Amino acid sequence: MGFSADRWLGRAATEARAGFNRWLVPPAAIAVHMCIGQVYAFSVFNKPLATELGVTVPQVQVAYSIALVMLGLSAAVFGKWVERSGPRKTMLASWLCFCGGLLLAALAVRYQSLPLLLGGYGVLGGIGLGLGYIAPVSTLVKWFPDRPGMATGMAIMGFGGGALVGAPLALELMRRFGEGADTGAQVALTLMAAIYSGFMLFGAVMVRVPAAGWKPKGWVPKETESKLVTTASVSVDRAWRTPQFWLLWVVLCMNVSAGIGVLGLASDMLQNMFGVSAVVGGGFAGLLSIFNMGGRFVWSSVSDLTGRKVVYCIYFVLGAALYATLPWAQQTGNRTLFLVCTALIISMYGAGFATIPAYLRDLFGTYQVGAIHGRLITAWSMAAVIGPSLINGLYASRVAAGVPKAEAYNGTFYLMCVLLGIGLVANLLVRPVRAEYHVNPSA
Amino acid sequence: MRVMILIVSWLAVAVPLGWGVQQSVRKASPLFESVPDATQR
């Protein structure tokens, strides 16, 4: 009898038996997301890798940029394969790519090879990110039709938490194993690959998909539920031809663009605007990362009560109001108000990621929601370019024009209000998907 | 046994995440220990 991978790893092999407790699936999803969320903490390796490889920090940072681009590309390209293969096979593929990428990065240190770092962590690791990002989310959406926002919020909160775990873990490992000229990066990357392997394999073993037609016990879809929530199915090939897909693409892109610029510049911003030390600025970045993580779960859960369209309106209207308040906080020297406003803004930035899979499920059904989500993630890649470029470009031009550094950010805050306004309009234009796009999955 | 697996599964992710949050809170603490802002002086 020959070995058949599908017998152990395929979608059928992961189908849950009757009586399976669906609350076992969120830890599996969170475990995978927590590992791949390490990418957000890659910056702690910037200086050690630059020293070990004998290159500049910007050259090392290219690995991070490639990884994020590959995340979007692989999620878009492999989305249909993910739906076909099921979450276990996908999580294993994600593990091989992501932890393989970490090991190749360790080898890059050993052989002082920048191309190995870019190809290993950037390309291979980035593919692992894309696969690991969409598979757990689409699985949770299917297990929690009654609370899809909360379910996807849990997994994507794990991704946000990945940075909170990955940064101190890497720093601690490098501190322990670094000595003299050796930064400890090689050992740290190797050990992180081993530690993350444990968590990702745990996720792959624990994950299950519900049987066809499964519903939570006693749950019946509400008759009064919004017209935006469909019971029909739309395939990925049809979904991306609908205006709704592109409206949500704009919604995600604008929401992420408005937050990502602040998140990356938080420490510098507080130092320049309020004249605080670098240590306090670093503390600000730490505070924001907690709100980035918590907002994913809290706001996404709120969306189950308010509906997705309403919650995105809150993100955009409240976000713009908070951005408009920041210049006033700076002018009056009210640092507490500044901290509260930015923390709330960042909570809604994270929430934008967490709520979008449930919005997709509302509009297109659960049939190929993972693949559709994969294609929508390209909006994130775009936002990763737009957000920092806009905020950096406008800030630099205002400083060059003679505006004091403390006030130079104010113009960028109003620009963020404009981006959020565009997102609001796109969100308000979202209507139910027309029946001509629906498909019969069993046909 | 099923309850045990459920508890262990949640602990497996809650413990590292909790550690990460604790590290971030520690990192953020200088923010609240520094001089008060203009409105509080």
Side-chain angles (χ1 to χ4, degrees), chain A residues 239 242-249 363-364 376 429-434 437:
Chain A
T242 64
Q244 286 83 355
F245 176 88
W246 293 104
L247 287 170
L248 289 196
W249 195 96
L363 288 167
F364 302 111
L376 199 82
L429 289 173
V430 173
R431 298 279 181 274
V433 176
R434 290 209 308 266
Y437 292 105

Side-chain angles (χ1 to χ4, degrees), chain A residues 202-416:
Chain A
F202 160 78
V205 169
M206 294 298 290
V207 76
R208 298 284 187 282
V209 290
W214 176 88
K215 278 179 192 166
K217 207 173 176 182
W219 176 73
V220 277
K222 281 187 235 160
E223 282 183 19
T224 53
E225 208 156 39
S226 157
K227 282 180 185 168
L228 279 180
V229 183
T230 185
T231 51
S233 301
V234 182
S235 67
V236 62
D237 291 330
R238 290 188 178 198
W240 80 302
R241 293 195 176 92
T242 64
Q244 286 83 355
F245 176 88
W246 293 104
L247 287 170
L248 289 196
W249 195 96
V250 173
V251 163
L252 182 65
C253 187
M254 292 301 119
N255 190 62
V256 176
S257 297
I260 209 166
V262 173
L263 199 59
L265 297 167
S267 177
D268 290 344
M269 202 179 272
L270 197 72
Q271 290 175 59
N272 289 330
M273 291 178 77
F274 291 92
V276 299
S277 67
V279 175
V280 176
F284 180 48
L287 179 82
L288 291 188
S289 60
I290 296 171
F291 276 83
N292 179 17
M293 176 184 151
R296 294 168 187 240
F297 178 69
V298 174
W299 284 109
S300 198
S301 300
V302 167
S303 79
D304 287 334
L305 304 173
T306 61
R308 254 55 76 175
K309 193 168 180 174
V310 171
V311 91
Y312 270 98
C313 284
I314 295 173
Y315 300 163
F316 291 128
V317 174
L318 180 59
L322 291 168
Y323 265 121
T325 309
L326 292 181
W328 183 71
Q330 186 270 325
Q331 281 152 15
T332 55
N334 192 337
R335 208 175 70 200
T336 307
L337 180 65
F338 184 84
L339 295 183
V340 170
C341 289
T342 45
L344 277 171
I345 287 169
I346 293 304
S347 77
M348 291 186 287
Y349 155 79
F353 286 115
T355 320
I356 209 78
Y359 210 164
L360 291 171
R361 170 261 183 199
D362 288 352
L363 288 167
F364 302 111
T366 58
Y367 172 48
Q368 289 190 330
V369 69
I372 300 168
H373 186 208
R375 294 203 182 170
L376 199 82
I377 284 173
T378 50
W380 176 7
S381 302
M382 179 65 85
V385 178
I386 292 177
S389 310
L390 279 179
I391 206 162
N392 280 328
L394 192 58
Y395 176 74
S397 69
R398 283 172 65 85
V399 170
V403 178
K405 273 190 172 181
E407 294 166 24
Y409 285 107
N410 293 349
T412 64
F413 296 145
Y414 294 124
L415 182 65
M416 296 298 127

Side-chain angles (χ1 to χ4, degrees), chain B residues 10-33:
Chain B
W10 276 98
L11 279 177
V13 292
V15 169
L17 281 178
W19 178 74
V21 170
Q22 186 242 337
Q23 294 293 314
S24 283
V25 170
R26 217 170 66 178
K27 188 182 170 191
S29 58
L31 193 59
F32 304 103
E33 288 163 5

